[in-house]
Amino acid sequence: VDVDLSLGQTIAGTILAFTVSTSAAGLGLGGGPLFLVVYGLILGLDVKVAVALSNASVFGVALGSILILLSSNHPTEKKRPLIDFYTAAVLEPATLAGATIGVLLNKISPMWVTTVTLFPSMCLISRQVFRKAMDLYRKENDQGNTPSVTTVTVDNKDNEEMESLDGDDDDTLLRTNNQAKFDKFMERRFPWQPILLIGMTWVGLVSIDYIKTYNKQVSDCKHYLYWVIVGGSMVYFVLITYLWVSHVRASFADRIESGYIPIEGEVHWDKVHNCVVGPMMSILAGLLSGFLGIGGGVVKGPLMLSMKIQPQVAAATASFMIVFTVSATNIEYMLQHLIPYGVALWYMSVCFIGAVIGQYIVKALVRKYQRQSFISFGMGLLIFFSGLFMTIDLIIRTYHRAHQDKGSTAFRSAC
């Protein structure tokens, strides 16, 4: 695919792409909706080219972010990695299962349905993020007003009673040793199990894209093999999610029973709500992502905030997941020869640099002000404006398409 951009378009696109990538990176958002607005609405590129460049730009943001985040530490437990690999392994396959349904819904729905649905959905998501941000902001204020030094006094008048508890010392020592062992387990920089599972999900996604691209029968939705592949992919993603959730739930329950004390913001996988509602909400998030074309980061970050994960950890984990999702999407576009390689490489490089700078800015702000709530506030604002600008873009495109093709306002066949 060839794209001819004037010098003015290239400069404007570069400045806007750099601004979007710097803003989105530290908030755990790929910036896909805003990139679509830049390339489609502002630069006036064809929709397919705009989508391809948007995916390449998001990939640049994800790579720049992950370069910094892989060596970053947890905000409160400095020996732990910032990325929550275990939660990522739960959310990523479930999100892809939902996205499969969302893409099918997008195929059969006219553009006006997406237009009407997009902005209210983004407003609801941003509202939820703002609520979490305000809760965290109040908590940070309360902690700021709390004296940092406390004095603990021990009354020794009951020495005999305390000596009678000496029999519990062995149990206390065992729990302390277990806590140290589990802390060391959670401090692994690259835990192989969740990374392997996400890798398996990625391989499955890329394999499906490859088969659908080079097998004419599979690419034709009128053929039964197409639906076998689509249904099989959903079963594959859901099965991986179920097996991993079962594993982390059993593992977490064993740790709690052995005396493990979870840190603040760690997901309690022994609770049914997190094991059932979390994956179900991931499927719904993926459905919205596929149907509205808003990208996974817009829904994954807020979803993790709703699970009470710390904003800095949620943003980092969302960025980690985006690497896998958007790389698979870029491979699909490469297989279909839809990527203008020269332009895409330029904007991907610009966004890579912007993301690195954005990550350093966020880290510096968190370190200086000792607040994570502004990450949530920023996430909410970016989601709101993404929805607003995308809705404007969709209204314009819907208007033009309706005038060119009167049948474009009707529902379509999936084929």
Side-chain angles (χ1 to χ4, degrees):
V1 179
D2 294 324
V3 177
D4 293 323
L5 293 175
S6 66
L7 179 61
Q9 283 179 309
T10 303
I11 293 174
T14 300
I15 294 173
L16 290 170
F18 180 82
T19 303
V20 171
S21 61
T22 305
S23 305
L27 305 176
L29 304 174
L34 290 177
F35 285 126
L36 275 175
V37 172
V38 169
Y39 301 132
L41 183 63
I42 298 176
L43 298 187
L45 298 176
D46 179 75
V47 174
K48 288 186 178 180
V49 175
V51 171
L53 289 179
S54 174
N55 280 308
S57 300
V58 173
F59 189 51
V61 171
L63 287 179
S65 297
I66 213 68
L67 177 69
I68 306 301
L69 295 173
L70 285 176
S71 59
S72 299
N73 298 322
H74 193 279
T76 55
E77 297 291 327
K78 299 303 181 183
K79 292 184 178 180
R80 290 194 182 191
L82 181 59
I83 299 170
D84 187 343
F85 294 98
Y86 295 90
T87 300
V90 171
L91 301 185
E92 182 68 4
T95 305
L96 292 176
T100 305
I101 304 171
V103 169
L104 289 175
L105 290 175
N106 183 273
K107 275 188 175 183
I108 67 174
S109 301
M111 192 175 289
W112 66 265
V113 174
T114 307
T115 305
V116 170
T117 309
L118 177 63
F119 191 59
S121 299
M122 298 289 266
C123 285
L124 286 173
I125 294 172
S126 61
R127 177 177 176 271
Q128 184 67 20
V129 173
F130 279 128
R131 287 181 60 185
K132 293 292 181 182
M134 283 303 303
D135 291 342
L136 181 58
Y137 180 77
R138 295 189 190 98
K139 184 177 180 181
E140 288 170 340
N141 284 341
D142 291 341
Q143 289 176 341
N145 294 328
T146 303
S148 57
V149 179
T150 58
T151 304
V152 178
T153 58
V154 180
D155 189 354
N156 293 321
K157 66 179 181 179
D158 294 326
N159 283 332
E160 293 182 3
E161 183 178 345
M162 293 179 67
E163 288 175 3
S164 68
L165 297 177
D166 285 347
D168 294 333
D169 285 351
D170 291 339
D171 182 62
T172 302
L173 180 61
L174 178 62
R175 286 179 176 272
T176 302
N177 291 336
N178 284 337
Q179 180 72 22
K181 181 180 70 174
F182 293 133
D183 283 340
K184 188 175 181 180
F185 175 81
M186 296 301 295
E187 288 165 5
R188 293 181 301 169
R189 184 62 58 178
F190 301 105
W192 68 269
Q193 285 179 312
I195 294 175
L196 176 63
L197 186 132
I198 296 175
M200 289 170 56
T201 304
W202 183 87
V203 169
L205 183 61
V206 171
S207 300
I208 291 166
D209 289 338
Y210 183 86
I211 293 170
K212 288 168 69 175
T213 301
Y214 289 103
N215 189 312
K216 292 182 178 180
Q217 291 181 329
V218 173
S219 62
D220 182 9
C221 68
K222 294 180 180 178
H223 199 281
Y224 77 94
L225 284 178
Y226 173 87
W227 297 105
V228 169
I229 290 294
V230 171
S233 65
M234 289 182 59
V235 171
Y236 177 71
F237 295 140
V238 170
L239 181 62
I240 286 180
T241 304
Y242 173 76
L243 292 175
W244 182 247
V245 168
S246 299
H247 169 74
V248 294
R249 183 183 183 185
S251 175
F252 191 85
D254 288 343
R255 279 182 278 155
I256 293 296
E257 189 176 343
S258 300
Y260 175 70
I261 302 173
I263 63 172
E264 181 183 359
E266 184 174 352
V267 180
H268 289 234
W269 291 113
D270 57 336
K271 293 184 178 179
V272 176
H273 178 272
N274 290 328
C275 291
V276 177
V277 178
M280 292 298 293
M281 290 301 294
S282 299
I283 292 175
L284 179 60
L287 189 150
L288 283 174
S289 174
F291 176 56
L292 301 176
I294 56 177
V298 173
V299 290
K300 289 173 182 174
L303 175 60
M304 283 185 279
L305 291 180
S306 70
M307 297 171 71
K308 300 182 179 180
I309 295 175
Q310 295 186 44
Q312 207 173 350
V313 177
T317 306
S319 296
F320 173 71
M321 289 189 281
I322 289 171
V323 171
F324 292 89
T325 307
V326 79
S327 62
T329 305
N330 276 291
I331 289 174
E332 180 180 5
Y333 274 82
M334 289 171 62
L335 292 174
Q336 297 178 11
H337 306 288
L338 294 175
I339 292 184
Y341 290 101
V343 180
L345 185 61
W346 169 253
Y347 283 117
M348 187 174 77
S349 302
V350 169
C351 293
F352 176 88
I353 296 170
V356 172
I357 294 173
Q359 288 293 341
Y360 276 119
I361 290 173
V362 169
K363 287 179 70 173
L365 289 173
V366 171
R367 190 181 303 113
K368 181 177 180 179
Y369 295 104
Q370 295 297 306
R371 287 182 179 271
Q372 295 189 53
S373 56
F374 78 86
I375 296 178
S376 300
F377 282 121
M379 188 184 293
L381 281 173
L382 203 61
I383 290 171
F384 175 80
F385 284 111
S386 296
L388 178 62
F389 291 132
M390 271 196 78
T391 301
I392 294 172
D393 183 31
L394 280 172
I395 289 172
I396 295 171
R397 285 199 281 141
T398 302
Y399 176 80
H400 286 301
R401 182 173 293 185
H403 276 69
Q404 294 171 359
D405 180 12
K406 299 294 184 182
S408 64
T409 57
F411 283 86
R412 302 180 296 269
S413 167
C415 300

